Amino acid sequence: MARLEKNQIPDDILAFAQEHLGAPVVEFANQAGGFSQGAAARIRSAQGSRAFLKAVPREGFEGTYSLYERERNILAALPEGIRVPRLIAAYEAHGWIALLIEDVEGHHPETREEMLAVLDSLLTLPTADAVPGIPDAAADLERPFALWAEVDGSFPALTPWARRNQSMLREAAMRALEAVGGKRSCTQ
């Protein structure tokens, strides 16, 4: 799935990012993977401050736009003390939404051990009933995670890595549903 590129993002969103980073953006590194077509980039300012920028227009990307609205609302509602990247700022104007989120070093899990570590980290999240306004993760994830049982190697959106690791991804999806147990919160 192709992501929006820097030259497709309105200048006012880049100015928004610059304002919150305190200096001009000098590095814009698109990130591969993920589940949406919006822009997703690690950015760095001239002063060295970093953030993760997500941006998408509503027109033509209604589903992704809604996901970003939801992510913004949930990140803003999360209490201190949870080990998650924090929302720095959000922008919504002229038919676009953008999220500026703390940048965290790392990568998508590539091995079974890394995937299991990610799933185990779900157990550290607060329960949904402990954070008002946060949706129930199991209810949100049940259908998308169950789809892994139906995906085969011919599914066009699979990356080569996902194609090679389908069985691990199926197992991880089922384990994640068990880990959230109907009470853990979910950002997307």
Side-chain angles (χ1 to χ4, degrees):
M1 168 178 331
R3 289 213 177 266
L4 295 176
E5 301 287 332
K6 181 180 181 184
N7 64 356
Q8 296 173 288
I9 298 172
D11 290 339
D12 53 339
I13 291 178
L14 297 174
F16 150 81
Q18 176 177 314
E19 175 186 338
H20 289 281
L21 292 179
V25 173
V26 296
E27 187 177 314
F28 187 100
N30 279 325
Q31 301 300 293
F35 301 101
S36 70
Q37 295 173 307
R42 296 174 93 168
I43 61 175
R44 186 177 56 82
S45 77
Q47 293 176 334
S49 51
R50 300 177 353 190
F52 187 69
L53 175 67
K54 298 172 83 168
V56 73
R58 182 184 302 272
E59 186 176 332
F61 301 91
E62 290 82 4
T64 300
Y65 195 98
S66 293
L67 284 174
Y68 286 11
E69 287 178 312
R70 178 185 169 112
E71 184 173 7
R72 174 201 57 211
N73 296 341
I74 292 170
L75 286 173
L78 290 175
E80 293 297 321
I82 300 173
R83 292 181 49 190
V84 297
R86 295 288 167 191
L87 180 66
I88 297 169
Y91 169 100
E92 192 168 9
H94 313 294
W96 280 77
I97 188 168
L99 306 178
L100 198 60
I101 302 167
E102 290 178 339
D103 184 42
V104 176
E105 283 294 330
H107 61 275
H108 288 277
E110 296 175 352
T111 66
R112 184 177 194 285
E113 292 75 24
E114 289 176 342
M115 182 67 73
L116 294 176
V118 168
L119 296 173
D120 288 343
S121 72
L122 291 174
L123 298 173
T124 68
L125 294 175
T127 59
D129 56 358
V131 184
I134 302 294
D136 180 317
D140 287 350
L141 297 174
E142 184 173 10
R143 179 67 184 137
F145 280 18
L147 287 174
W148 277 107
E150 301 171 22
V151 171
D152 66 19
S154 65
F155 187 69
L158 286 180
T159 64
W161 179 87
R163 198 170 269 107
R164 288 189 310 272
N165 292 281
Q166 281 183 21
S167 62
M168 178 189 66
L169 291 169
R170 282 186 193 103
E171 176 188 342
M174 293 305 106
R175 190 165 170 171
L177 280 176
E178 291 172 17
V180 296
K183 293 188 183 271
R184 300 290 170 190
S185 58
C186 180
T187 60
Q188 286 190 13

